[in-house]
């Protein structure tokens, strides 16, 4: 027996809202967080990058604006006595590798080629949107790299390197292609400041956790894991970010004071000549968070409906009440 369908088409409701003038400006802040190291003894680098990841998410940056690159699965390593966990502190209070972590590039996907393609937007066909940095000329971008480095390079996967000049040229491509407004570039590695020296594109504040010729040191060991769980600069950067809230007035000048020599045992050094704003006048949330400004002016809100909507609804209900077969009601979309 065939099913018969009574289709009651509801006339769409006309919704009219007038609240004066409303300005809604979503933040255009992005982050690229990169752990470049493999092998269990580099556990701390995963802890570094995940601590920054959770901090900027807490400050409002959505996962859709964060590209997270982790070179090794420390949480699943056979040496890990606490499977599926990553900690950046020997107290092991917070598992950084929880259910909310979204890794965009993992394992052997973390390569120099993929990193440069990500920055410049020159992806191979078919690359998923979640693996793309979808920025524009109004975007502020935080780029944070942690791993092993030397004079003018950072190692990837312990078998290749990205040079400081390659990275400087990638930034210039980004500028020419209008892919950023400002960049905050942080490297936590040995001789980290060497990665900033060749940078020549405008509106970039670059910072290294150590000068050329200096090592960047680890902070402390977790005896239960048998490895260092944090580097000194990233450890104190996290302490700073934990004091920052959505309404904080901390500035980039405050950020530049993180980890003085007596804490880092290296000289944290910043390259400021390409950055055209006073760091004391720039909120850290412009790079480490995301804010939305909403301005609402009081006025009337009017909700009006087409006069025959009620009659159409009554007719459809009456037909449904007397039907002895299945009834399917089709609704016309309010906003097609």
């Amino acid at each position: 027996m065939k099913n018969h369908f009574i289709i009651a088409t509801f006339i769409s409701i006309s919704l009219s809202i007038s609240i004066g003038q409303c300005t809604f400006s979503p933040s255009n802040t992005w982050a690229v967080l990169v752990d470049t190291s493999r092998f269990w003894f580099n556990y701390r680098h995963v802890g570094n990058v995940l601590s920054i990841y959770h901090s900027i998410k807490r400050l409002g940056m959505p996962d859709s604006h964060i590209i997270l690159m982790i070179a090794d699965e420390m949480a699943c390593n056979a040496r890990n006595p606490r499977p599926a966990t990553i900690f950046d502190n020997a107290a092991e209070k917070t598992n950084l590798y929880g259910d909310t972590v979204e890794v965009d590039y993992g394992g052997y996907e973390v390569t120099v080629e993929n990193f440069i393609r990500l920055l410049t937007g020159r992806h191979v066909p078919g690359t998923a949107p979640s693996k793309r940095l979808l920025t524009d000329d109004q975007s502020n971008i935080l780029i944070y790299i942690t791993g092993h480095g030397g004079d003018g390079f950072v190692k990837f996967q312990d078998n290749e390197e990205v040079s400081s000049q390659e990275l400087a040229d990638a930034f210039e491509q980004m500028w020419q292609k209008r892919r950023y407004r400002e960049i905050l570039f942080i490297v936590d590695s040995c001789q980290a400041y060497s990665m900033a020296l060749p940078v020549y594109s405008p509106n970039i504040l670059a910072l290294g956790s150590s000068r050329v010729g200096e090592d960047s040191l680890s902070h402390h060991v977790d005896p239960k894991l048998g490895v260092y769980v944090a580097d000194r600069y990233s450890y104190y950067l996290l302490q700073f970010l934990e004091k920052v809230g959505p309404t904080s007035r901390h500035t980039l000048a405050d950020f530049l004071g993180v980890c003085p020599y007596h804490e880092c045992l290296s000289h944290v050094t910043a390259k400021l000549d390409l950055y055209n704003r006073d760091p004391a006048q720039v909120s850290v949330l412009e790079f480490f968070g995301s804010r939305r400004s909403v301005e609402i002016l009081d006025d009337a809100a009017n909700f009006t409906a087409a006069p025959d909507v009620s009659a159409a609804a009554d007719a459809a209900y009456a037909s449904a009440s007397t039907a002895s077969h299945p009834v399917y009601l089709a609704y016309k979309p309010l906003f097609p």
Side-chain angles (χ1 to χ4, degrees):
M1 177 179 177
K2 292 184 178 180
N3 289 329
H4 297 277
F5 306 104
I6 297 177
I7 302 178
T9 305
F10 278 39
I11 301 174
S12 61
I13 297 174
S14 173
L15 178 62
S16 174
I17 302 177
S18 175
I19 1 183
Q21 200 169 9
C22 177
T23 302
F24 182 77
S25 302
S27 175
N28 197 355
T29 307
W30 295 72
V32 178
L33 310 178
V34 189
D35 151 46
T36 66
S37 300
R38 293 192 68 77
F39 307 123
W40 176 248
F41 54 82
N42 292 318
Y43 180 103
R44 65 192 182 279
H45 296 150
V46 180
N48 293 343
V49 79
L50 287 179
S51 65
I52 304 303
Y53 169 81
H54 285 290
S55 292
I56 63 177
K57 283 187 66 176
R58 178 182 60 81
L59 293 171
M61 196 179 302
D63 262 312
S64 58
H65 281 208
I66 303 172
I67 305 296
L68 180 60
M69 307 179 80
I70 296 181
D72 203 350
E73 290 284 353
M74 301 301 181
C76 301
N77 192 292
R79 298 183 184 181
N80 192 344
R82 300 277 300 277
T85 63
I86 295 289
F87 300 99
D88 64 344
N89 193 295
E92 297 188 356
K93 291 183 178 180
T94 304
N95 175 20
L96 301 177
Y97 204 78
D99 296 335
T100 61
V101 174
E102 295 185 13
V103 179
D104 300 291
Y105 290 81
Y108 287 109
E109 289 183 317
V110 182
T111 63
V112 173
E113 178 182 348
N114 282 341
F115 179 52
I116 297 298
R117 285 186 181 277
L118 173 70
L119 297 181
T120 60
R122 300 172 65 179
H123 295 281
V124 298
T127 301
S130 63
K131 293 178 177 284
R132 296 173 183 260
L133 188 64
L134 303 176
T135 54
D136 56 35
D137 61 352
Q138 294 302 307
S139 301
N140 281 3
I141 309 174
L142 166 67
I143 301 176
Y144 169 88
I145 301 176
T146 180
H148 291 290
D151 189 356
F153 69 89
V154 170
K155 296 173 69 174
F156 272 65
Q157 301 282 1
D158 206 39
N159 65 4
E160 62 175 342
E161 303 165 353
V162 62
S163 73
S164 56
Q165 191 59 56
E166 286 176 306
L167 210 46
D169 292 341
F171 289 153
E172 179 61 16
Q173 285 190 50
M174 294 177 73
W175 176 252
Q176 295 296 335
K177 297 169 74 172
R178 302 172 65 86
R179 288 179 57 79
Y180 74 87
R181 174 174 171 262
E182 294 180 350
I183 289 177
L184 175 58
F185 175 45
I186 304 171
V187 181
D188 187 2
S189 72
C190 294
Q191 307 195 60
Y193 186 63
S194 67
M195 298 298 294
L197 290 175
V199 174
Y200 55 93
S201 303
N203 300 346
I204 297 178
L205 195 164
L207 179 144
S209 62
S210 54
R211 292 177 179 170
V212 178
E214 280 187 335
D215 291 334
S216 186
L217 303 177
S218 304
H219 188 267
H220 69 280
V221 170
D222 182 343
K224 295 181 287 296
L225 298 174
V227 290
Y228 284 94
V229 292
D231 283 318
R232 284 184 173 272
Y233 176 75
S234 293
Y235 179 85
Y236 288 106
L237 175 57
L238 175 62
Q239 288 196 344
F240 169 77
L241 292 176
E242 287 177 341
K243 300 174 185 175
V244 177
T247 60
S248 295
R249 297 189 177 184
H250 293 82
T251 68
L252 286 185
D254 300 320
F255 156 75
L256 292 174
V258 168
C259 206
Y261 182 81
H262 70 272
E263 292 178 339
C264 264
L265 305 182
S266 63
H267 295 88
V268 178
T269 308
K271 180 180 173 68
L272 300 171
D273 58 309
L274 300 171
Y275 194 67
N276 61 8
R277 289 199 288 167
D278 179 1
Q281 302 301 316
V282 182
S283 169
V284 294
L285 294 173
E286 292 195 33
F287 293 96
F288 289 97
S290 181
R291 292 191 294 190
R292 296 185 176 188
S293 293
V294 179
E295 180 184 359
I296 299 178
L297 304 179
D298 293 335
D299 206 339
N302 300 316
F303 299 84
T304 59
D308 55 345
V309 169
S310 179
D314 289 344
Y317 180 79
S319 299
S321 300
T322 58
S324 59
H325 47 73
V327 176
Y328 296 84
L329 301 179
Y331 296 88
K332 183 178 179 181
L334 180 60
F335 301 109

